[in-house]
Amino acid sequence: MQRPASEGHADCVTARPDSGPATDATVRVLARACVDAVHAVGGFAGGIYLRSEAEGPLLLAVVTGLPRQLFRPWWRMHMNRPYPVAEAYRSGQSVHLPDAEAAMRRFPQLMAGLPFPFGSLYEPVMAGAQRFGVLFVLRPATPGASVDAADRERLRAAANGLAEGLAALSAAGEPVLWTDDPVGVPPPDTAQGAREAVERLTLAVLSMDREGRVRYVNRAAADLLGVGAPELRGRVLWQAVPWLGQPAYEDHFRGVFMSGEPVRFPARLGRQPDAGWVEVDLYPSVDGVTVTIDAAEPPAYAPGSVVRPGAGLGLGSPADRASALYRPVALAIALTEAVTARQVSAVVTQELLPAFGGRQLAIYLLSERHLHLAWETGFPQGFLDRFDGVALDVRLPGVETLTTGRPMFFESMEHLAAAYPGIPLDAHVGARAFLPLIASGRPVGSCILGFDAPRGFSPEERTVLTALAGLIAQALERAQRYDSEAALARGLQAALLPHRLPVHENVETVARYLPGTQGMDVGGDWYDVVETIDGLLALVIGDVQGHGVAAAATMGQLRSAVRAFTLAGSAPDQVVAGTNRLLIDLDPGQFASCCYVLLDPVSGRARAARAGHPQPLLRHADGRAEVMELPGGVVLGIDAGATYPVTDLRLAPGSVLALYTDGLVEEAGTDIDVGVERLRAALAAARPSPLTEMADRLIGGAGGSADRPDDIALLLACRTGDGRASASS
């Protein structure tokens, strides 16, 4: 499919390769929706991201009002990264950023690459269970004012209309995935034709549209640039005038398209060191940008990259180089959010490979003078296993880059094979970069970047890659410390929890505990089953506020206190009240929730007391499940004189009592009652036997989540009533 760029029609789009699954019909729907959405909310640019064929990335499908090549770093957006497009897609919720301050507060990684004053709106494009992508609009910033309801509704309506159109195409068999570069949609041309006054000026004046294409050139500009007006019109300015396309100037052009504010910068009139200086002024509007160029004195400071620009990052275009120039900042911010070595490696895969066009990545970590494979992607399955555990005296590039501290670049696989005769190769065509991972002078490991085709590595590119390797090494060193400390802390947590539960002929008990996966510390959730002298069973669950060793230590003290009060024969309200007073004496300011049930296994009668803890659930023998409404007192640690009412219950044979902590039912942005209802429904649907399988099923949804902000504890008690002894788990 080839389309010429055409003025004044949103259905006409910049030509794109005919290589992806999207058809002409899909592109027309996207283009019209994009232009209409920008117009509806008073924007100056916008675009649509769609799902790709691969798992994870969203690809920019269409864009209007922005020069595509200048924004190449944002063509690909992984749905798990902390960007507004990704959040809107993941959550299915709108993201509204009225100004740069709001964007910096919520998405610092976005503003690291686009530090300009602009507002932006993001709407997920969904039709029922189908999730297609995200529609976004950029517009002038409105500092101190939120996005008004009318604009929110207009954009939501535009996204709904787009979703309906894509759903119809999908139902008709039209693919709505994206694999190509983005399609540029020219905005309507509203320029007026009276230009005679400008022609009389001796000042060089040009006009660009929102795609950066030259639409008008006066005679003075043509003379100054040495290029005729017919040759300039229709071409992207910084491509038609190469000295304006240097990396030193790209940020100025990005700024004028994003901020809507005038930009001025000095530039050399050509690439030669003795070329004269000019002052370039850029004046933006919703229709385009006016450019004026005038003679100027040399600036007090002229960066060397302006006088003698380097060869770039070896990827070809200025936009490709811009992508890598921003990667150190974006990668550094992303690495601060990565906690484990696996998270660090995933960030490197998502941020580093796209910037340099790489396809393969491997990270080896040093342990006891051997390199062990910690992460790989893109290599043939099992190929790297032969290098796992190699000693530091083996002659391999991944080893020598670490022992020498010098990065190694091979522009082709032939160069690599010649430097290391006999080395196994995963491919016969390509290029490789081996980077030492050294943090504060300490060796951490090595990183391998692979490319599918031979390529050069410019001086700038080698410098950037070496600097990024240092950032990666520091993050990995920090992650290794975390892994060690977390293992130690979780060992402490496990030691404080029961190693086994009592076995009783009339009651089967099963417990599960999952630590949180976010943050550096363990939490204070606990459970216990205590058998009294007279044969009763105390079922206990609790949650100490906060995380860390202090919370775990408090948890251990509370568990011991509850056990001691229970074995002393105290009633449920006395157990909870006594534990409350103890917590206030031990650690003023700390508090905890608790639910305590004292059960007679023979009769099924029970007495329960609750201190600010989520309500337990009861599954009856016939499969009905209900949320129990137990009256309770305040959480432990608040009021030394607090009382805790006792409720009488009865567990019939075959019924299951479920006690749990809030980590199992809480979800950010969702009312806890929704989570409790979800758990109740799961309890009703689960098979009661075996009880271990029921526990695994109930905790499975939360346990399978990659990111759990809180610990989870679950205690199930099933009254068998038939004298059968059941082993606890």
Side-chain angles (χ1 to χ4, degrees), residues 247-299:
Y249 307 145
E250 289 174 7
D251 218 30
H252 299 304
F253 285 105
R254 264 190 291 272
V256 78
F257 280 102
M258 295 294 292
S259 69
E261 297 180 356
V263 172
R264 167 177 292 186
F265 63 93
R268 275 202 185 272
L269 188 60
R271 290 184 175 271
Q272 299 304 317
D274 58 352
W277 286 87
V278 293
E279 194 82 58
V280 180
D281 288 274
L282 308 175
Y283 301 94
S285 74
V286 295
D287 303 323
V289 177
T290 298
V291 183
T292 66
I293 306 174
D294 201 4
E297 295 295 323

Side-chain angles (χ1 to χ4, degrees), residues 96-116:
H96 301 127
L97 304 173
D99 55 24
E101 181 179 350
M104 177 60 76
R105 187 167 55 249
R106 294 184 57 185
F107 303 98
Q109 201 162 335
L110 171 70
M111 300 310 294
L114 297 170
F116 313 114

Side-chain angles (χ1 to χ4, degrees), residues 303-344:
S305 61
V306 176
V307 179
R308 281 180 285 273
L313 291 174
L315 300 176
S317 71
D320 291 320
R321 296 197 299 271
S323 175
L325 290 174
Y326 281 127
R327 288 298 171 179
V329 178
L331 181 61
I333 294 174
L335 287 175
T336 62
E337 302 168 354
V339 176
T340 66
R342 185 174 183 83
Q343 289 172 344
V344 171

